[in-house]
Amino acid sequence: MKIKLKLIAVTTGALFYGLGVNAQDGEALFKQTCAACHTVGGGKLVGPDLQGVNKKRTEDWIVNFVKSAADFGAKDADAKAMIAEYGYPMPNQNLGEGDVKAIINYIAANSPTEEIATEGGAPAEEIVAEPADPALDPANASAEDIAFGLKLFSGENRLANGGPSCLTCHNVEHTDLIAGGLLAKDLTKVYERMGAAGLNGILSSPPFPAMNASYKDNPLTEKEIFQLSAFFSDASVNNIYQKQRAYNDNLLLYGGGGAFATIAIVIFFLFLERKRKCVKEDIYKRQTKAASSK
Amino acid sequence: MNIRSQISMVFHLDKCIGCHTCSVACKNVWTDRKGAEYMWWNNVETKPGTGYPTKWEDQEIYQGGWEKNGDSVSLRGAGKLKGLKNIFANPNMPVLDDYYEPWQYRYQDLFDAPEGDDQPIGRAVSLVTGEPMEVQAGPNWDDDLSGTPDYARKDVNFKNVSAAEQDAMFQLERMTFHYLPRICNHCLNPACVGSCPSGALYKRGEDGVVLINQERCRAWRMCVTACPYKKSYYNWSTGKSEKCVLCYPRLESAQPPACFHSCVGRIRYMGVMLYDADRIEAVASADEAELVDRHLDIYLDPNDPEVIKAARANGVHDSTIVAAQKSPVYKFVKEWKIALPLHPEFRTLPNLFYVPPLLPAMASVGEDGNYDSVNETLLVGVEKLRVPISYLASLFTAGNENKVIDVFKKLHAVRVSRRNSTVGDVSEQQLNTCMNEAGFDTHVANAIYRLTSLCTYEERFVVPAAHREESIEMLESAHDYKGNTGFGFKERPARGL
């Protein structure tokens, strides 16, 4: 109850006094950590639209969900249903309770009151957020862009700011790619799952801790994001024709076979030099023959 | 000049009766231990024969000794690069079967066996595994040409002997063989020392005895393959290699080694030689044709004042110089030139010289099947020998037959000269011819005869004492040492002294 009162007080405070200090922090934090997957009133991206979430859920609920959606989902039926709806739990966010509260304040400040929300009409129309620049829509990508995206993914072409290539941690089933890393999710169908806007969000400010750490100091450029998205789009569409180049067992076979052959050749040459039999072998053989013919 | 003293040896093969007393003496003194049973630091081989270990002379198999490499020599089977290549396995190592598996008989069974229909037997038991075994080979299995098709006909020295000559050697009633006693040659250019990766082998400065430091030996066994005479053996029990030590504790007290001392035929001579160590590399890398001559040139005249002065300057003791002047080896090798090194082509410059066996053909079965003497006179010349000169040349002169013939002419001249003075049935013309061919007079012939046949212990063995009593003064007080010798602690007590 106390929390609710507090929440109302803060919300109204924010409404009345505009963007406070907390709210300003909240905005920065939201853009940095949430905006990749969520909007406030902008419709569903990768995750749900967070408009009005401050009313829908208690603050504790939100804090727990943000800390570890997977763990919380095991305990809470609502959370579980939410995860089931979006297919996978939200990545754990390394945010303090204060940070989460700041973000909730920001969301609350940007959420219209209930009356306005109901008057606002169907948000379903806005479900797919289009990228601002139509030239950067992966649907408009040329074959070169797709090919370049593939090279960026595989690391054949370095990323402009020196970030690690995607293949290190991710896998995409594609004829021209070897099996990628297993650290992070398989990205074969990522375009279907997240869409252009989702990819754009994640790639421009990665919300996943490991990915965030990797690209914090060397972010992807807008062009690269577009090319990668084009590649992902192509990979997910043409997935049925793209067989992964399966090196798995063959690599072992080639490597092991090569090592075996090398060792065998070395042993063979050493063996060539060896004194291979006892100098008395023919004498012994004759003795044995004579003994057995008796 | 870098004059050093070297204890050297001569074996007179005409006198060897192949009794193996030397081998047994050595075995009893040195190698009657676990892991050393198969070692024969001294062994006696029958020639033609394959020797011990079997075919030791065949360096195609064992890759021992040195080979000429420009103005120097390099080891045939060892060296930096070859050593690295063979770091995990020495590829030309003789195996135990190349020697033989040592055994002992279970004699106690003869006494303990329960009563039965059969005579109890003492079974052969391997000294390596302890299991009963079938004896297949021994250290002198080819003794006296037994098992000839297996051993004698496979002699490595038959390379340059024609098939007809070989056949003649093995015909009944024409057969010929001689004995070849072998010990470590304590070479001037030892391949074993050169091959050891651990630096465990060394050649003693004072008398040139080649020894293996048992503390430093790391069981590489490079010396086992590198020694072309196969006189370094690996002790499988201690994990160290061992070789003939020339009974150095005896040498140091001016006694000859056990095998020399025990020799029944008195075929062995021992003495000091002075040589110029600066010339070793040049001599070892000489062309094969002049190898023997160059080798003998390295030994210097111990009566030459220059040599004596240089020897003294190099720390050679006066008693050693005096011994060198009286050395019987010097007489055989340098003065009379009737002793030759064994297999000089291995380029190790061995210090054991052999007077080759004259083996005159006295009689043989002719084409008509009758047994008859081969010559009108009793003493046949060098031309009618049973043993092909090419065979002996392969043994002693790296194929140079003239050198063997020269020696035989001298040995023959001594016999003719002695026949003349004891029986007197030799014509003056024959005597003169022989003496001219030999290149010496009856005085020398008598001297050779004396040292060959009537030699005393002191004449055969001129070994200078090592003067340990003097050398100890450099390390401790001789008075204290004398007062304490034979008493004291092997390990000092923990409380201190």
Side-chain angles (χ1 to χ4, degrees), chain A residues 270 273-275 277-280 282-284 286-288, chain B residues 54 62 85 89 91-92 97-99 136-137 150-151 154:
Chain A
L270 290 178
E273 299 232 314
R274 263 190 103 88
K275 177 175 160 296
K277 57 178 189 180
C278 162
V279 290
K280 288 188 199 151
D282 44 347
I283 299 175
Y284 286 166
R286 202 182 63 77
Q287 283 179 356
T288 328
Chain B
T54 306
Y62 294 112
K85 210 172 70 178
N92 307 303
D97 268 345
D98 296 338
Y99 302 94
Q136 282 187 300
D150 281 340
Y151 296 105
K154 290 186 177 151

Side-chain angles (χ1 to χ4, degrees), chain B residues 148-162:
Chain B
T148 286
D150 281 340
Y151 296 105
R153 282 188 189 273
K154 290 186 177 151
D155 190 314
V156 179
N157 297 297
F158 283 149
K159 270 200 310 269
N160 300 322
V161 180
S162 70

Side-chain angles (χ1 to χ4, degrees), chain A:
Chain A
M1 196 60 207
K2 216 177 176 184
I3 296 165
K4 235 178 190 173
L5 281 174
K6 210 173 170 186
L7 185 73
I8 292 163
V10 169
T11 314
T12 42
L15 276 172
F16 279 107
Y17 302 110
L19 305 172
V21 180
N22 267 352
Q24 212 162 26
D25 269 355
E27 183 177 7
L29 279 169
F30 183 88
K31 283 193 173 146
Q32 192 188 323
T33 48
C34 315
C37 303
H38 299 281
T39 60
V40 181
K44 196 163 95 175
L45 278 181
V46 181
D49 188 343
L50 294 180
Q51 196 175 48
V53 74
N54 53 320
K55 300 248 172 64
K56 220 153 78 185
R57 307 287 181 201
T58 65
E59 200 175 89
D60 266 352
W61 193 96
I62 295 172
V63 168
N64 282 328
F65 191 90
V66 169
K67 269 188 182 159
S68 175
D71 288 354
F72 188 56
K75 288 181 264 175
D76 188 282
D78 277 353
K80 200 177 177 181
M82 180 80 74
I83 291 163
E85 187 188 340
Y86 285 89
Y88 44 90
M90 187 172 104
N92 300 348
Q93 301 297 327
N94 190 20
L95 292 169
E97 209 164 312
D99 295 333
V100 179
K101 280 176 187 164
I103 293 168
I104 294 170
N105 286 344
Y106 167 75
I107 294 169
N110 287 284
S111 299
T113 52
E114 247 175 272
E115 296 80 30
I116 299 165
T118 34
E119 280 168 21
E125 285 168 24
E126 293 180 89
I127 274 178
V128 179
E130 296 294 327
D133 186 356
L136 292 182
D137 182 358
N140 303 331
S142 65
E144 286 91 70
D145 286 329
I146 294 170
F148 203 82
L150 169 76
K151 286 180 177 175
L152 288 174
F153 183 87
S154 70
E156 198 176 328
N157 289 359
R158 298 278 333 239
L159 295 169
N161 291 328
S165 61
C166 319
L167 191 77
T168 324
C169 302
H170 293 282
N171 182 44
V172 164
E173 278 181 34
H174 196 279
T175 324
D176 296 336
L177 287 175
I178 58 166
L182 299 172
L183 180 72
K185 264 192 109 53
D186 186 300
L187 299 183
T188 313
K189 299 271 191 182
V190 71
Y191 192 84
E192 261 173 43
R193 238 171 24 230
M194 300 194 169
L199 279 176
N200 189 40
I202 288 176
L203 289 175
S204 48
S205 60
F208 312 104
M211 199 165 162
N212 190 0
S214 303
Y215 294 97
K216 201 162 76 187
D217 296 330
N218 25 28
L220 296 159
T221 64
E222 206 169 63
K223 176 99 174 146
E224 281 166 354
I225 293 171
F226 163 67
Q227 284 165 334
L228 279 170
S229 300
F231 163 66
F232 288 135
S233 148
D234 178 70
S236 98
V237 171
N238 294 323
N239 177 249
I240 192 165
Y241 311 111
Q242 305 285 6
K243 271 281 193 200
Q244 182 106 51
R245 235 198 268 173
Y247 282 116
N248 298 337
D249 291 348
N250 288 351
L251 267 186
L252 200 67
L253 207 66
Y254 295 146
F260 178 80
T262 314
I263 292 166
I265 288 167
V266 168
I267 289 174
F268 172 73
F269 278 107
L270 290 178
F271 182 74
L272 267 189
E273 299 232 314
R274 263 190 103 88
K275 177 175 160 296
R276 283 184 286 283
K277 57 178 189 180
C278 162
V279 290
K280 288 188 199 151
E281 197 174 75
D282 44 347
I283 299 175
Y284 286 166
K285 269 189 187 154
R286 202 182 63 77
Q287 283 179 356
T288 328
K289 218 167 117 190
S292 61
S293 67
K294 260 180 207 164

